[in-house]
């Protein structure tokens, strides 16, 4: 398995759900602290939107709770040895929500649409064709063992999204179909009775958009919603006798990201000093109620086979060493810098406040500056006009490249301005490898370099807990940010 | 006109002054219209002369006073000591003319000591050093009947009469040639008002200045002034020496004004047996004739003597039968009516009644 | 002539030892100090005095309309034998407007700016004679507006106060005060804000109404000449006390109290032109200031030590002529 | 008439100024709507494409003029964030906020007029002191604190309503009202306090006026004097405040809608600003400003209707 | 007046206590404001932590009194700047009249009809970082009402008898404005300024609530309230402490303002 099964983590659950008898029917009100404003799987990028449309759309294959993939719209797939040719066989009788049966035309349209939309990974597609009315062959430019993850991109009806129509009227093949949407209020999903696989238990899912994560809590406590996903600071507040907390990961790398192009962070000793000064465990304990998972590099533990656990403790807190490194770098009395934190993420603001204390011990002064999300995107992310920031960076797909590609010197999204020839070479080597072991070794090497170079101060993979009422059970987590409503059922 | 009394010298020359107020009309559909307040006002005040201006409320007395002080826009010319007001020359102008207003309660800055307020004119004109100014203030306080200790007090600690003394003192600080006193005693109690009138008398004797004394009380004006002008609806209807105007009035309005002054010799008698009509008749002299034609004599609507001739506004003409040429009235009767020893007040009322 | 009108035996209103206090923070001052007078039926009583001497306050006490800081601290106000000062607010309200009414110095502010004239004038009837139907009230209002000499009552009724001139407003006030035919009307400086010509009309009207309806009037003014025009009897007040009281013609010709004399002298008249006015020196003490037992003492030309130690008693100079001075002898 | 024209010109001028201010503001603050939509993993070409679709790559003046011309044609543009016509987006929400505002106004008037009159009529008594104290507290509570407290006390402790369970007015008007009463109350409390205070003060001011004495002199009852004479005059003095109240009700609803999860225009404004959704924000700002400006205009007229002194005298 | 005096005293006492606490926090706080202790998070009020601790184990009392400092600093500087600007604008508009008045009032109108949050957002994003950008934002929001007050006062006194008197004395316009008109507006302005202080506190906390205020870890009451929101059920003291501090402070300022108003305008 690529990930620890979610059930392993369900430590906080006090209610014994396994005895309960599942019952079909009923509805489930889910609270979301952001808005799903776009249901088009080709343009929507917010994690929250993706977590919801996981229930509506399916790809040729679909991720499993353990991180492996299995057939969805395709019942079967074959991968050539050089991982260059992928052959998918369509499943019989899969129907779109509009009642139409999925044909190869739909699949071809979807693949072309993904290429046109610039979905990551599709730039590697060399050609694709339907060899018969059941078989689709995709040929890649260079071998990619991860293409299955990429092939989980939604399959949509032919010509259904030429003008982005899906944004407001999604049509997929998933266990739930879109029913209605009220801006800033809610989205309703209805059970798809024609679902090819195990049908969902609940008849209706109402996703309410709530202004902030603290309001999620109030709404949950008041009974207005049956469940929500939130970080530990919020999820820990619920009444544990009437709630099941399914501990999961946010599957994103929280770090104090340093602008490697700016002084003093262009000096590896300074970055290392910061890494030594920061006590990740302290942050996890204070901000994340101990639920987060410590990391030492830009990889989530969820992708366990690729995750380089060796470097997790490379920079265990050592203030003396930090000070030493600082004076080596020419800052015997420390220095001060400003960290820009997006104001809409309380977790990061809280983490920043903890870091202020920790860094102060090493003589470093960190000033916090809150910026709103749009400003953060423009100033920090796009223009790279910052010294440091705290954020969680997620991967768009369950693949190590999603996390590691951005550290390549000339990557367009290398917002930390990391620049290492060694890394570029190591990354190129890892991605070129078809052999799984070599790939794993290659990516681990990349992570090692990031750790050695202290590209940023890696802190944790923040816990992202699914909290729901004990009236329900069955929730299953994934190594992706997805909320699988089909697994949830009402207890009789 | 200018040729007369030239040997005496003129301190104020008002000629053909017209003034309008714009009625903004707060209402949604209200039209903006100009309302004439002063129409063709001309007169002169000689140096060292006390000149009285009487008229009913709202006739434009204060407007005229403010126009002279340069506080209002107007048409025509006003010269004080030969000088016309202009904003840039305000300082020089204010050396010549000062004012005392009706309400001594609001005429002083409540946040300034008396001394400070009185120093204000000197300060504005940069006269003397601080010490000299303070000395001058103390002298002036003495002169208006207050002692120097008042300099440190605030207006609220003073009685109305005392405050009016301060106002007069402040107006005198610059030794102006003309003082405009707009209802300067009307707001005061009888006994205090008398004190202020006396004060005007005293300082008149000591200093060299003329005064335009505005009041609605003919008795007071007569008591204090050398010459009197009677104003009605923005027009001067009669002007002349105090004696002439008070004792030999020519214009019906002046007569009416004199008749209406309550005195100690007569009483209103009414045994209650009369009808309302009787009262109406008795009040007829005050009643409004319904017509008020455009361009007519301003008193046409109330005048018992009015005839078609009066539909054209009369100008001020000299009253022939008096010895003094100064006596003029704006009435067709001015020329023909012998003003000497005309009627007693009772008969004026009768005249009014008989015509209505 | 005027001397013929004298006090009738029947007193409508009798004020005995009335004192009115002012509460100011923790301190209490006296606005009116132990005064007494009476008003006969059909009589017009003039009250004269300088500003702040307590004229208004006394009469507000009669109406029971003293503002919160003022209170009756002693004495009686007997109206037809009943003590108004001891009546409940409700009983007072029943009399106000019906038996006693008041007109005020400021005719503009004394009328509700948002209510039409007709309604305001008719209100006393509406309050005290609920049995009268609305059409009848309208008729009575028109009648009483005509009575005070307002032309076109029907038009005037539909107007608002600001659309009338000062004299017209004052006449509206009179119409309102007389519509219930009260026995006593208090007129607080009803002509001070008016021009002399209008003043003459109003005085005439008041006199007529008083005589016609046998209505007593307390006429407040600081102008002795006005008082002389219509009053039967005059009370001179000074600093919260009565200085002198006598029939009008007596006061004007034979004043006894030094204050009255001074007051009369200080009025500019035709014959005093050019001379200095014999003004009374000094000023009226305010309520907060210390007052001598005889409050006029500091300004009085004949004051002696006794004036500063002992309040003067009433001296009956003649029938109906009383003055408060140590140096007067009863005749 | 002149007055009306003058007012209309001023109104248009103000609105124009506001639209310009919003526009400039939007282009001063950092944030690229395309980037916001596409997030951190977007490629440069994709961004460029989207910018072109949204029209945010045009020169500023062109963006402004195209917006303003559209606005005058009644076309408010398409929301960047919600990819819906702004008009559609606003439709319901304006009703929600308007209903909320209406509830607030009704609550405020219904409570504060009697309360203010009562306090004034009990001058210098314990009752007045109690009302004064309550208004003082009411004025001093921040709206969002009050919302939190309401949510906690009425929602979570007393279970009088279910926070977060907003029901659309179209779905069930009764349930809508039952839910909205709490957000309305949260906005109304400070407004009630302020209005009560002003009414009380205005009543007290009026009470000292001469015409009140006249009325008492006529023997009018306490009640008649209070409601028949004083209140009308006091209201004339208070009416200008109502214009200002509309503004503060709007600001209040921005926060309260956020806290209570009411899908009104207040919440939309925040998300449109944070989402750099220019057409939406611009329309919202214009809309709010228009309401405020028009309210003030109505207040002007209202005063003239109530107060004959200002009314046309013909 | 007596009632005004009582309000004034109560107000001064309460404000005094709050200010004293704020000053005290400069020298001493029971705990560091950013001193965290996960082990004792969300502890109920006790002798160690008289207002309890928050979700990161920080002492609420320490934060509340330091918050007083920040909140007051923002409020005071906002009102100060805005008063200064408004005085100039208001005097100018009122005294000059005509088109100057027209232009100033139109801009004021526009600002007034402009959602405050937008102004705040613009300021916070445009201006260089720092705690006092919020001051400028609030300042702009407050200028309209203050300018109106000054302008109304100016209009009221522009034609007052004593001003007219001094104009006749020959005083310059500037002197009339500064010496005769302005000092008389001060009482009116003063009480508005004090009420403005409480409005500024309210606005600051609203802004902080929306994340536009003081930068963490510095606490302001609004920020504390915001952070306490999610734990209100388990640790209500975290919300109540700053909330009540706000209420008390505003009551205090309002009382002082009311007292002043009654004293000077009665
Ligand atoms: N600022 C103004 N705007 C418009 N009209 C005005 C203004 N000031 C005065 N008026 C009008 O001009 C006329 C003359 O007013 P003015 O004050 O000069 O009268 P007055 O003779 O001094 O009266 P009073 O004896 O009552 O003082 C009045 O009808 C008045 O209504
Ligand atoms: N509401 C009040 N509060 C405090 N003091 C008052 C009040 N009303 C009157 N006084 C005081 O009571 C005293 C008598 O006032 P009153 O109004 O009776 O004087 P007046 O003789 O009517 O004067 P005027 O001629 O000015 O009307 C004055 O000294 C005044 O200061
Ligand atoms: Mg005048
Ligand atoms: Mg009086």
């Amino acid at each position: 398995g690529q990930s620890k099964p979610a059930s392993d983590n369900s430590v906080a659950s006090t209610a014994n759900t396994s005895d309960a008898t599942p019952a079909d029917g009923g509805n489930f009100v889910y609270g979301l602290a952001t808005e799903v404003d776009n249901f088009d799987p080709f343009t929507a990028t917010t994690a929250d939107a993706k977590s919801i449309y996981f229930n509506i759309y399916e790809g040729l294959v679909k991720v499993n709770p353990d991180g492996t993939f299995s057939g969805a719209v395709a019942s079967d797939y074959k991968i050539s040895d050089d991982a260059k040719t992928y052959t998918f066989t369509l499943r019989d009788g899969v129907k779109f929500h509009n009642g139409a049966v999925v044909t190869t035309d739909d699949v071809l349209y979807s693949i072309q649409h993904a290429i046109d939309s610039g979905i990551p990974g599709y730039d590697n597609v060399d050609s694709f064709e339907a060899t018969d009315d059941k078989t689709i062959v995709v040929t890649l430019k260079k071998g990619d063992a991860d293409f299955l993850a990429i092939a989980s991109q939604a399959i949509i009806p032919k010509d259904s999204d030429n003008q982005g129509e899906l944004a407001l009227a999604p049509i997929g093949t998933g266990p739930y179909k879109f029913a209605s949407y009220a801006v800033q209020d809610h989205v309703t999903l209805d059970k798809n009775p024609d679902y090819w696989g195990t049908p969902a238990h609940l008849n209706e899912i109402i996703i309410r958009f709530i202004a902030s994560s603290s309001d999620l809590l109030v709404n949950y406590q008041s009974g207005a919603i049956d469940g929500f996903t939130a970080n530990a600071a919020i999820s820990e507040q619920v009444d544990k006798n009437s709630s099941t907390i399914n501990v999961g990961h946010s599957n994103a790398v929280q770090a104090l990201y340093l602008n490697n192009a700016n002084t003093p962070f262009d000096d590896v000793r300074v970055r290392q000093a910061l890494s030594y000064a920061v006590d990740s465990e302290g942050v996890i304990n204070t901000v994340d109620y101990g639920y987060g998972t410590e990391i030492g590099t830009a990889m989530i533990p969820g992708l366990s086979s690729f995750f380089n656990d060796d470097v997790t403790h490379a920079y265990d807190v050592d203030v003396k060493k930090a000070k030493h490194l600082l004076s080596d770098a020419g800052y015997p009395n420390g220095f001060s810098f400003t960290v820009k934190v997006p104001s809409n993420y309380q977790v990061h603001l809280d983490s920043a406040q903890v870091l202020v204390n920790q860094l102060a011990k090493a003589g470093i002064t960190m000033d916090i500056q809150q910026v709103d999300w749009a400003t953060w995107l423009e100033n920090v992310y796009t223009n790279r006009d910052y010294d440091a920031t705290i954020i969680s960076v997620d991967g768009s797909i369950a693949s190590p490249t999603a996390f590691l590609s951005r550290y390549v010197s000339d990557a367009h999204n290398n917002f930390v301005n990391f620049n290492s020839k060694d890394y570029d070479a190591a990354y190129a080597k890892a991605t070129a490898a078809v052999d799984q072991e070599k790939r794993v070794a290659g990516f681990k090497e990349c992570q090692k370099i990031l750790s050695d170079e202290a590209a940023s101060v890696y802190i944790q993979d923040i816990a992202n807990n699914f909290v729901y009422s004990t009236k329900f059970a069955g929730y299953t987590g994934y190594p992706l940010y997805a909320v699988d409503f089909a697994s949830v059922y009402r207890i009789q | 006109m200018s040729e007369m009394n030239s040997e005496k010298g003129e301190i104020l020359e008002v000629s053909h002054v017209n003034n309008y107020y714009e009625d903004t009309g707060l209402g949604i559909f209200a039209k903006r219209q100009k309302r004439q307040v002063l129409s063709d006002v001309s007169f002169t005040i000689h140096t060292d002369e006390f000149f009285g201006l009487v008229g009913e409320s709202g006739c434009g007395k204060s407007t005229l006073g403010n126009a002279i002080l340069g506080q209002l826009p107007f048409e025509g010319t006003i010269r004080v000591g030969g000088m016309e007001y202009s904003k840039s020359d305000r300082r020089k102008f204010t050396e010549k003319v000062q004012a005392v207003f009706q309400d001594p309660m609001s005429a002083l800055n409540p946040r300034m000591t008396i001394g400070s307020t009185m120093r204000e004119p000197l300060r504005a004109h940069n006269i003397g050093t601080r010490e000299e100014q303070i000395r001058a203030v103390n002298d002036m306080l003495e002169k208006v009947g207050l002692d120097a200790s008042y300099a440190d007090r605030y207006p609220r600690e003073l009685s109305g009469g005392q405050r009016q003394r301060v106002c007069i003192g402040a107006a005198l600080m610059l030794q102006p040639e003309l003082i405009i006193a707009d209802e300067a005693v009307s707001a005061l109690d009888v006994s205090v008002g008398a004190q202020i009138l006396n004060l005007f008398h005293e300082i008149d004797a000591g200093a060299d200045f003329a005064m335009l004394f505005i009041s609605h009380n003919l008795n007071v004006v007569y008591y204090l002034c050398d010459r009197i002008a009677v104003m009605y609806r923005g027009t001067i209807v009669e002007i002349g020496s105090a004696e002439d105007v008070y004792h030999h009035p020519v214009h019906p309005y002046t007569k009416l004004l004199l008749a209406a002054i309550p005195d100690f010799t007569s009483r209103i008698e009414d045994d209650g047996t009369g009808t309302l009509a009787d009262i109406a008749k008795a009040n007829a002299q005050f009643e409004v004739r319904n017509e008020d034609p455009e361009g007519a004599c301003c008193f046409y609507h109330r005048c018992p003597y009015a005839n078609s001739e009066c539909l054209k506004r009369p100008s001020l003409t000299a009253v022939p039968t008096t010895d003094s040429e100064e006596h003029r009235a704006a009435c067709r009767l001015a020329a023909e009516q012998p003003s000497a020893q005309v009627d007693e007040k009772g008969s004026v009322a009768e005249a009014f009644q008989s015509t209505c | 002539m005027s001397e013929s009108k004298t006090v009738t035996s029947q007193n409508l209103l009798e004020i005995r030892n009335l004192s009115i206090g002012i509460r100011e923070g923790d301190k209490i001052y006296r606005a009116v100090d132990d005064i007494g007078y009476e008003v006969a039926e059909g009589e017009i009583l003039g009250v004269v005095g300088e500003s702040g001497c307590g004229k208004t306050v006394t009469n507000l006490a009669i109406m029971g309309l003293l503002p919160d800081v003022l209170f009756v601290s002693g004495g009686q106000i007997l109206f037809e034998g009943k003590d108004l000062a001891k009546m409940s607010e409700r009983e007072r309200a029943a009399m106000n407007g019906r038996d006693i009414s008041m007109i005020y110095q400021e005719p503009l502010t004394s009328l509700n700016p948002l209510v039409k004239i007709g309604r305001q004038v008719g209100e006393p009837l509406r309050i005290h004679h609920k049995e009268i139907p609305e059409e009848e009230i309208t008729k009575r209002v028109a009648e009483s507006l005509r009575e005070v000499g307002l032309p076109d009552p029907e038009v005037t009724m539909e107007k608002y106060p600001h659309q009338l001139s000062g004299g017209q407003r004052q006449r509206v006030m009179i119409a309102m005060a007389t519509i219930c035919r009260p026995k006593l009307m208090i007129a607080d400086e009803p002509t001070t804000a008016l021009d002399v010509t209008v003043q003459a009309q109003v005085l005439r009207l008041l006199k007529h109404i008083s005589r016609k309806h046998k209505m007593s009037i307390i006429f407040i003014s600081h102008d002795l000449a006005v008082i002389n025009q219509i009053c039967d009897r005059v009370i001179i007040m000074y600093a919260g006390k009565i200085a002198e009281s006598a029939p009008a013609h007596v006061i004007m010709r034979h004043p006894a109290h030094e204050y009255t004399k001074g007051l009369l002298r200080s009025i500019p008249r035709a014959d005093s032109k050019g001379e200095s006015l014999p003004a009374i020196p000094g000023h009226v003490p305010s309520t907060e200031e210390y007052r001598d037992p005889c409050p006029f003492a500091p300004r009085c030309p004949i004051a002696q030590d006794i004036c500063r130690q002992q309040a003067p008693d009433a001296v009956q100079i003649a029938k109906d002529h009383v003055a408060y001075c140590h140096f007067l002898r009863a005749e | 008439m002149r007055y009306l024209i003058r007012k209309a010109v001023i109104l248009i001028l103000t609105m124009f100024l506001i639209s310009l201010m919003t526009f400039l503001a939007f282009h001063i603050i950092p944030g690229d709507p395309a980037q916001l939509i596409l997030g951190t993993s977007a490629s440069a070409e994709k961004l460029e494409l989207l910018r072109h679709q949204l029209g945010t790559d045009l020169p500023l003046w062109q963006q402004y003029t195209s917006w303003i011309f559209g606005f005058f044609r009644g076309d408010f543009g398409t929301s960047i964030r919600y990819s819906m016509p702004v008009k559609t987006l606003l439709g319901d929400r304006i009703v929600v906020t308007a209903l909320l505002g209406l509830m607030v106004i009704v609550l405020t008037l219904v409570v504060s007029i009697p309360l203010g009159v009562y306090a004034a009529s009990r001058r210098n008594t314990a009752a007045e002191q109690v009302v004064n104290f309550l208004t003082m507290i009411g004025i001093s509570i921040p709206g969002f604190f009050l919302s939190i407290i309401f949510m906690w006390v009425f929602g979570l402790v007393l279970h009088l309503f279910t926070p977060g369970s907003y029901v659309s007015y179209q779905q069930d008007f009764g349930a809508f009202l039952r839910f909205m009463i709490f957000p309305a109350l949260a906005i109304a409390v400070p407004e009630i306090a302020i209005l009560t205070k002003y009414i009380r003060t205005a009543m007290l001011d009026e009470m000292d006026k001469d015409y009140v004495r006249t009325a008492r002199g006529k023997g009018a009852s306490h009640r008649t004097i209070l409601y028949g004479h004083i209140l009308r005059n006091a209201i004339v003095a208070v009416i200008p405040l109502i214009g200002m109240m509309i503004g503060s009700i709007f600001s209040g609803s921005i926060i309260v809608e956020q806290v209570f999860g009411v899908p009104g225009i207040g919440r939309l404004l925040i998300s449109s600003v944070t989402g750099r959704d220019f057409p939406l924000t611009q329309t919202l700002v214009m809309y709010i400003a228009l309401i405020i400006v028009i309210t003030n205009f109505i207040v002007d007229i209202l005063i003239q209707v109530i107060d004959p002194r200002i009314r046309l005298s013909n | 007046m007596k009632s005004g005096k009582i309000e004034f005293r109560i107000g001064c006492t309460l404000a005094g206590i709050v200010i004293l606490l704020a000053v005290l926090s400069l020298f001493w706080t029971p705990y560091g404001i950013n001193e965290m202790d996960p082990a004792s998070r969300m502890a109920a009020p006790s002798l160690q932590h008289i207002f309890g601790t928050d979700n990161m184990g920080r002492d609420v009392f320490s934060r509340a009194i330091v918050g007083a400092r920040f909140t007051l600093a923002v409020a005071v500087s906002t009102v100060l700047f805005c008063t200064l600007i408004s005085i100039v604008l208001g005097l100018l508009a009122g005294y000059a009249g005509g088109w100057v008045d027209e232009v100033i009032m139109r801009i004021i109108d526009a600002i007034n009809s402009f959602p405050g949050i937008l102004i705040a957002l613009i300021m916070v994003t445009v201006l260089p970082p720092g705690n006092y950008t919020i001051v400028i934002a609030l300042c702009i929001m407050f200028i309209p009402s203050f300018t109106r007050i000054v302008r109304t006062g100016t209009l009221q006194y522009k034609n007052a008898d004593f001003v007219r008197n001094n104009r006749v004395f020959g005083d310059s316009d500037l002197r009339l404005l500064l010496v005769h008109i302005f000092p008389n507006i001060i009482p009116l302005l003063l009480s508005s300024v004090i009420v403005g202080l409480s409005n500024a506190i309210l606005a600051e906390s609203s802004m902080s609530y929306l994340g536009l205020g003081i930068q963490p870890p510095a606490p302001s009451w609004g920020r504390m309230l915001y952070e306490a929101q999610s734990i209100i059920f388990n640790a209500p003291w975290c919300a109540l402490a700053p909330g009540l501090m706000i209420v008390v402070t505003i009551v205090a300022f309002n009382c002082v303002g009311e007292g002043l108003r009654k004293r000077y305008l009665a």
Side-chain angles (χ1 to χ4, degrees), chain B residues 66 69 71 87 90-91 94 97-101 103 106-112 117 120-121 123-125 167 170-171 174 182, chain E residues 95 157 159-176 179-187 264-265:
Chain B
N66 286 331
L69 287 167
Q71 309 242 337
K87 215 170 156 73
R90 189 162 88 194
R91 234 177 237 178
T94 52
V97 55
Q98 286 291 311
V100 179
F101 297 107
D103 189 3
S106 59
L108 299 172
N109 187 342
R111 273 161 220 290
M112 262 194 176
T117 293
E120 204 63 12
R123 226 185 255 135
H125 291 85
C167 293
L174 292 173
D182 189 353
Chain E
Y95 195 77
Y157 283 103
N159 293 317
D161 285 353
F162 69 85
V163 174
R164 186 176 55 161
N165 224 357
N166 280 288
R167 200 176 291 132
V168 173
F169 288 162
D171 278 357
S172 65
D173 286 332
L174 194 68
R175 187 169 170 86
L176 286 177
V179 177
H180 296 293
I181 296 179
F182 179 61
N184 284 288
I185 304 175
I186 289 179
Y264 287 110
L265 299 181

Side-chain angles (χ1 to χ4, degrees), chain B residues 21-23 35 37 56-63 183 216:
Chain B
Y21 278 119
E22 194 142 314
D23 256 348
R35 197 155 55 83
V37 174
E56 68 181 0
S57 174
C59 71
K61 306 184 296 288
S62 301
T63 305
E183 310 267 16
H216 57 255

Side-chain angles (χ1 to χ4, degrees), chain B residues 189, chain C residues 22-24 30-32 49-60 67-70 105 188-189 220-222 237 285-288 291:
Chain B
D189 276 327
Chain C
I22 305 176
R23 225 178 274 116
E24 203 155 279
R30 282 247 167 122
V32 169
E50 298 193 59
S51 187
C53 70
K55 307 183 293 291
T56 302
V57 164
T58 309
N59 291 291
L60 287 178
D68 288 349
V69 288
L70 296 172
Q105 175 168 0
D188 189 358
E189 313 210 18
I220 303 172
S221 179
H222 56 247
M237 282 185 76
S286 70
T287 39
E288 296 87 6
R291 289 172 176 183

Side-chain angles (χ1 to χ4, degrees), chain E residues 44-104:
Chain E
S46 65
L47 282 178
Q48 278 90 38
H49 300 281
I50 58 173
F51 286 175
T53 61
D54 68 4
N55 59 337
M56 295 208 271
R58 295 176 294 193
D59 181 49
V60 175
F61 179 71
S62 306
R63 287 177 70 75
I65 62 175
V66 175
R69 200 167 80 211
F70 283 102
T71 303
L72 289 180
V74 169
V76 168
S77 32
T78 299
V79 170
L80 209 69
F81 285 129
C82 144
T83 311
L84 287 178
I85 296 169
S86 304
I87 286 171
V88 174
L89 288 179
L91 286 178
L92 202 66
Y95 195 77
W99 64 268
V100 177
D101 185 28
E102 198 69 17
V103 167
I104 292 178

Side-chain angles (χ1 to χ4, degrees), chain A residues 335-389:
Chain A
F335 63 95
S336 65
F337 68 99
T338 300
V339 63
K340 290 187 178 174
V341 188
S343 58
N344 52 331
Y345 290 108
Q346 190 61 39
V347 198
H348 299 319
L349 276 173
D350 287 349
S351 305
Q353 299 185 51
V354 177
L355 291 187
V356 167
N357 288 344
Q358 295 179 352
L359 292 174
K361 287 189 192 134
I364 302 165
T365 312
M366 182 171 87
D367 296 318
I368 300 173
Q369 188 200 344
Q370 301 178 82
V371 290
D372 95 310
W373 181 236
T375 310
W376 187 89
L377 272 178
E378 174 156 337
N379 287 355
V380 178
Y381 191 79
T382 311
N383 297 338
R384 302 180 192 178
D385 172 20
Y386 72 104
D387 286 333
T389 183

